[in-house]
Amino acid sequence: EPEVTQTPSHQVTQMGQEVILRCVPISNHLYFYWYRQILGQKVEFLVSFYNNEISEKSEIFDDQFSVERPDGSNFTLKIRSTKLEDSAMYFCASSNSGQETQYFGPGTRLLVL
Amino acid sequence: EDQVTQSPEALRLQEGESSSLNCSYTVSGLRGLFWYRQDPGKGPEFLFTLYSAGEEKEKERLKATLTKKESFLHITAPKPEDSATYLCAVRGGFQKLVFGTGTRLLVSP
C-alpha cells in the first residue's frame, strides 16, 4: 500500500540553525501539505502546495519557513533560523485532489536547543 | 473560524465494553469530516471521511456517523489494540484541515 515517507525521523539542532525536513508523498498525489504538532497539543496546519505553488498557508507559516518540490518525488520544508518554539513533530501529508483525504507520514521530531 | 471540539478527553474501557467518542464542529461550509487514529509518536492514520449529514461509514469495530453539528465514532466490543488517540478534523474552504485535540482511548484486557 502506498505511503508517505519522511526523513529524518528525529533531528536535533541548535537555535538559529537552518533545518530541512524531507518528505516523499504518495506517487500519484498532486497536493502536498505540512502540519506540526507541539507535544501535547493539537495538529496544526502550516501550508498546502499544488502545481509548484503555495495554495494556502497559516499564520504560523511566516518568512522563516519555505517549501519546495525540488524534483518529481521529494517535498521539503525549510526552517531558516530555528527557534526554541519550533520544537515539534512535523508531519507531511498528500492527497490526490484538494477535496480528498489527506494521508500523513510518520513525522519528523524536531528538537531545537 | 472553523473549530473542532472532541469529548471526552480521555476514555478508559474494559475489553468488550462499547462506547462512543464525540466530535462537535463549527465550519462555514463543510467539505469533509475526517477521523484519524494516532499512536504515540506516530503520524495520523486515516480511518474515515464523511461528507454529508446522515452519512455512516464502518470498518471492523468502528463506525462513524455525521450530523449537521457533530460526528460520533462508535467503538463496538473494543480490544486492547484499539488503544490510541482518535482525532477528528474538518475541512471548510480550500484544503486546510482543522483538528480537535483528540480523545485518548485506553482499552484494558
Side-chain angles (χ1 to χ4, degrees), chain A residues 31 33 35 37 42-45 48-49 55-56 58 89 91 97-107 109, chain B residues 4 31 34 36 38 40-46 48-49 51 87 91-101:
Chain A
Y31 288 77
Y33 314 86
Y35 290 79
Q37 186 175 33
K42 61 176 70 175
V43 177
E44 301 175 289
F45 171 79
S48 61
F49 191 85
S55 51
E56 189 178 6
S58 71
M89 194 79 155
F91 296 111
S97 80
Q99 299 303 310
E100 292 186 20
T101 299
Q102 296 176 21
Y103 294 89
F104 285 74
R109 184 176 298 282
Chain B
V4 176
R31 289 181 172 82
F34 304 85
Y36 290 87
Q38 187 176 32
K42 307 289 185 183
E45 176 188 340
F46 169 70
F48 303 108
T49 304
Y51 287 104
L87 304 176
R91 180 171 56 217
F94 298 99
Q95 301 101 38
K96 175 178 77 173
L97 293 184
V98 175
F99 281 84
T101 52

Side-chain angles (χ1 to χ4, degrees), chain A residues 13-17 81-85 112-113:
Chain A
T13 190
Q14 294 292 322
M15 190 169 58
Q17 294 297 303
S81 178
T82 50
K83 305 171 188 172
L84 296 177
E85 55 264 37
V112 183
L113 302 177

Side-chain angles (χ1 to χ4, degrees), chain B residues 16-53:
Chain B
E17 179 186 2
S18 302
S19 188
S20 297
L21 313 182
N22 178 262
C23 170
S24 298
Y25 64 90
T26 304
V27 63
S28 54
L30 181 69
R31 289 181 172 82
L33 183 140
F34 304 85
W35 283 99
Y36 290 87
R37 168 190 171 130
Q38 187 176 32
D39 292 302
K42 307 289 185 183
E45 176 188 340
F46 169 70
L47 293 173
F48 303 108
T49 304
L50 301 166
Y51 287 104
S52 55

Side-chain angles (χ1 to χ4, degrees), chain B:
Chain B
E1 184 178 329
D2 301 344
Q3 288 191 330
V4 176
T5 303
Q6 292 189 246
S7 62
E9 287 186 12
L11 181 62
R12 175 172 285 188
L13 299 174
Q14 291 293 317
E15 185 172 1
E17 179 186 2
S18 302
S19 188
S20 297
L21 313 182
N22 178 262
C23 170
S24 298
Y25 64 90
T26 304
V27 63
S28 54
L30 181 69
R31 289 181 172 82
L33 183 140
F34 304 85
W35 283 99
Y36 290 87
R37 168 190 171 130
Q38 187 176 32
D39 292 302
K42 307 289 185 183
E45 176 188 340
F46 169 70
L47 293 173
F48 303 108
T49 304
L50 301 166
Y51 287 104
S52 55
E55 192 174 356
E56 298 182 352
K57 295 270 181 76
E58 277 189 78
K59 179 181 177 182
E60 296 181 357
R61 295 177 292 282
L62 301 176
K63 178 180 176 180
T65 62
L66 180 65
T67 72
K68 288 186 178 180
K69 294 182 179 180
E70 58 191 352
S71 176
F72 291 93
L73 185 65
H74 307 278
I75 303 177
T76 303
K79 298 182 178 181
E81 53 261 42
D82 295 322
S83 297
T85 296
Y86 290 85
L87 304 176
C88 174
V90 296
R91 180 171 56 217
F94 298 99
Q95 301 101 38
K96 175 178 77 173
L97 293 184
V98 175
F99 281 84
T101 52
T103 293
R104 291 190 315 276
L105 175 67
L106 177 63
V107 182
S108 303

